[in-house]
């Protein structure tokens, strides 16, 4: 399953020409976050919001609608007026994985949304509770093999890359561990620190400081290569060749948003991703910036859906 979960590289920075629309925006804007506070799906839009609000000259409200693997947020966005005032921070989970993970999904990730642009990517981190007797990935795999079904891993919800990283680990390491979904990363990490679960493929943004302060033991990152935010941690691919689970993030609006509003959002998003303070906030949580045109993001989502379907099928994972 080499490169089963891989981030499409080579997205280009583009600054679209802004169509004239002097009336927009004339009131606060809403960004729907698909997960509870503490998850990358919440941290990233909050990191971007200050500069975006400055450029829009309007407040930006982050509306957390966690639960059900991001489907609640996606269905709310789908049903919102396409007037440019409501957009959503989407993830590989909400707009690629869920299409295969749920037998009855209340939205189509391609048809029901208007792509605005990619904004970030980040690997996950294999973290274990400090009391677990495994100091390396090699020791962790050996422990999982010795105790099939005894190790539980939390996630920020079914259908997230945090969840699918664990399923991919089960397949590629030929082990059996148990998935425990939570409503958000905060709850999952709290139970992991307390030892109620044993490990987690946590997002870099939610786990970085916990690893640095030794509240959790980091064993590896899920990018193909080591990540500069945690340079001492090996990549999972060093032990399981081809293992890669990199999350991506972007903005979409409801279907039928006007081209002028999409162009405005894309321009502001890409300009924010060049702002030094914004980049500093993203780097502090191990998140890498990405930029794209709306058209590139649309093509990207279409390519991601069948790619993740292969991973879901191979793992046998289901959310319902």
């Amino acid at each position: 399953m080499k490169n089963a979960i891989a981030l499409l590289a080579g997205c280009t920075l583009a600054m679209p020409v802004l169509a004239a629309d002097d009336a927009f925006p004339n009131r606060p804007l809403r960004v729907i976050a698909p997960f509870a506070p503490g998850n990358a799906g919440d941290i990233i839009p909050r990191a971007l919001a200050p500069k975006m609000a400055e450029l829009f000259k309007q407040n930006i409200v982050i509306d957390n609608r966690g639960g059900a693997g991001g489907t609640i947020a996606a269905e709310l966005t789908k049903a919102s007026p396409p007037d440019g005032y409501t957009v959503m921070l989407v993830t590989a989970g909400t707009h690629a994985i869920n299409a295969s993970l749920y037998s009855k999904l209340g939205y189509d990730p391609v048809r029901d949304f208007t792509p605005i642009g990619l904004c970030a990517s980040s690997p996950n981190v294999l973290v274990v509770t400090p009391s677990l007797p495994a100091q390396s990935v090699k020791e962790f795999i050996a422990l999982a093999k010795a105790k099939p079904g005894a190790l539980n891993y939390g996630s920020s919800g079914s259908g997230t890359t945090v969840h699918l990283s664990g399923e991919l680990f089960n397949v590629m390491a030929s082990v059996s561990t148990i998935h425990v979904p939570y409503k958000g990363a905060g709850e999952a990490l709290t139970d992991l620190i307390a030892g109620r679960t044993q490990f987690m493929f946590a997002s870099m943004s939610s786990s970085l400081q916990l690893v640095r302060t030794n509240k959790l033991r980091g064993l590896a990152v899920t990018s193909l290569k080591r990540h500069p935010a945690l340079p001492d941690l090996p990549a999972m691919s060093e032990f399981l060749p081809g293992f890669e689970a990199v999350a991506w993030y972007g903005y979409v609006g409801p279907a039928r948003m006007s081209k002028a509003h999409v162009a405005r959002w894309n321009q502001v998003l890409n300009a924010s991703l060049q702002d030094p303070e914004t980049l500093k906030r993203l780097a502090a949580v191990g998140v890498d910036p990405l930029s794209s045109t709306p058209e590139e993001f649309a093509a990207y989502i279409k390519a991601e859906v069948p790619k993740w379907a292969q991973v879901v099928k191979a793992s046998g994972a289901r959310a319902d």
Side-chain angles (χ1 to χ4, degrees):
M1 191 182 291
K2 187 175 182 180
N3 296 328
I5 304 181
L7 178 68
L8 182 66
C11 292
T12 58
L13 177 65
M15 298 295 287
V17 176
L18 178 61
D21 186 356
D22 294 337
F24 178 82
N26 59 18
R27 54 187 170 85
L29 301 152
R30 177 171 65 155
V31 175
I32 297 176
F35 300 106
N39 185 279
D42 166 75
I43 294 171
I44 290 170
R46 292 186 188 278
L48 289 165
K51 187 61 179 182
M52 294 180 77
E54 176 188 328
L55 295 172
F56 273 126
K57 296 182 173 59
Q58 287 290 342
N59 290 332
I60 292 180
V61 177
I62 308 299
D63 185 0
N64 293 91
R65 298 298 180 108
T71 62
I72 294 172
E75 291 178 16
L76 177 62
T77 305
K78 171 188 172 181
S80 298
D83 57 8
Y85 285 92
T86 295
V87 301
M88 176 183 172
L89 188 285
V90 301
T91 69
T94 64
H95 276 63
I97 298 171
N98 283 351
S100 299
L101 199 68
Y102 289 82
S103 59
K104 295 182 180 179
L105 194 63
Y107 62 92
D108 184 296
V110 175
R111 185 182 62 244
D112 293 331
F113 302 91
T114 303
I116 293 171
L118 281 161
C119 65
S121 70
S122 179
N124 295 324
V125 184
L126 171 57
V127 289
V128 301
T129 186
S131 60
L132 197 73
Q135 302 293 324
S136 66
V137 174
K138 185 178 180 179
E139 291 181 6
F140 180 67
I141 293 174
L143 182 63
K145 286 181 179 292
K147 297 183 176 182
L151 299 182
N152 300 319
Y153 72 96
S155 79
S156 48
S158 296
T160 60
T161 58
V162 175
H163 169 205
L164 265 292
S165 294
E167 297 293 344
L168 185 64
F169 173 72
N170 283 340
V171 172
M172 295 188 69
S174 298
V175 298
S176 176
T177 65
I178 307 301
H179 175 227
V180 182
Y182 289 80
K183 292 182 179 179
E187 293 180 12
L189 289 165
T190 296
D191 272 8
L192 179 60
I193 293 170
R196 287 185 281 271
T197 56
Q198 287 71 52
F199 74 102
M200 182 175 174
F201 283 92
S203 67
M204 177 76 78
S205 57
S206 63
S207 61
L208 184 60
Q209 293 306 316
L210 295 174
V211 172
R212 287 175 171 171
T213 56
N214 297 315
K215 291 182 179 179
L216 290 173
R217 183 184 305 132
L219 297 185
V221 295
T222 62
S223 46
L224 282 176
K225 298 181 179 180
R226 300 189 181 206
H227 195 276
L230 291 170
D232 294 333
L233 290 191
M236 283 293 294
S237 61
E238 295 176 32
F239 304 91
L240 299 172
F243 191 107
E244 186 179 13
V246 180
W248 54 261
Y249 306 86
Y251 282 75
V252 304
R256 298 178 298 281
M257 266 182 68
S258 73
K259 290 184 178 181
H261 290 161
V262 172
R264 181 72 180 274
W265 270 99
N266 182 267
Q267 184 186 53
V268 168
L269 175 61
N270 285 338
S272 298
L273 289 166
Q274 297 183 68
D275 173 59
E277 289 302 315
T278 300
L279 294 175
K280 187 183 299 183
R281 284 191 289 270
L282 292 175
V285 291
V287 172
D288 304 312
L290 285 178
S291 295
S292 76
T293 65
E295 295 77 17
E296 287 170 335
F297 191 29
Y300 183 59
I301 293 172
K302 288 180 180 179
E304 285 285 282
V305 172
K307 183 185 75 177
W308 284 93
Q310 294 178 348
V311 179
V312 172
K313 182 179 179 180
S315 70
R318 300 299 298 174
D320 52 12

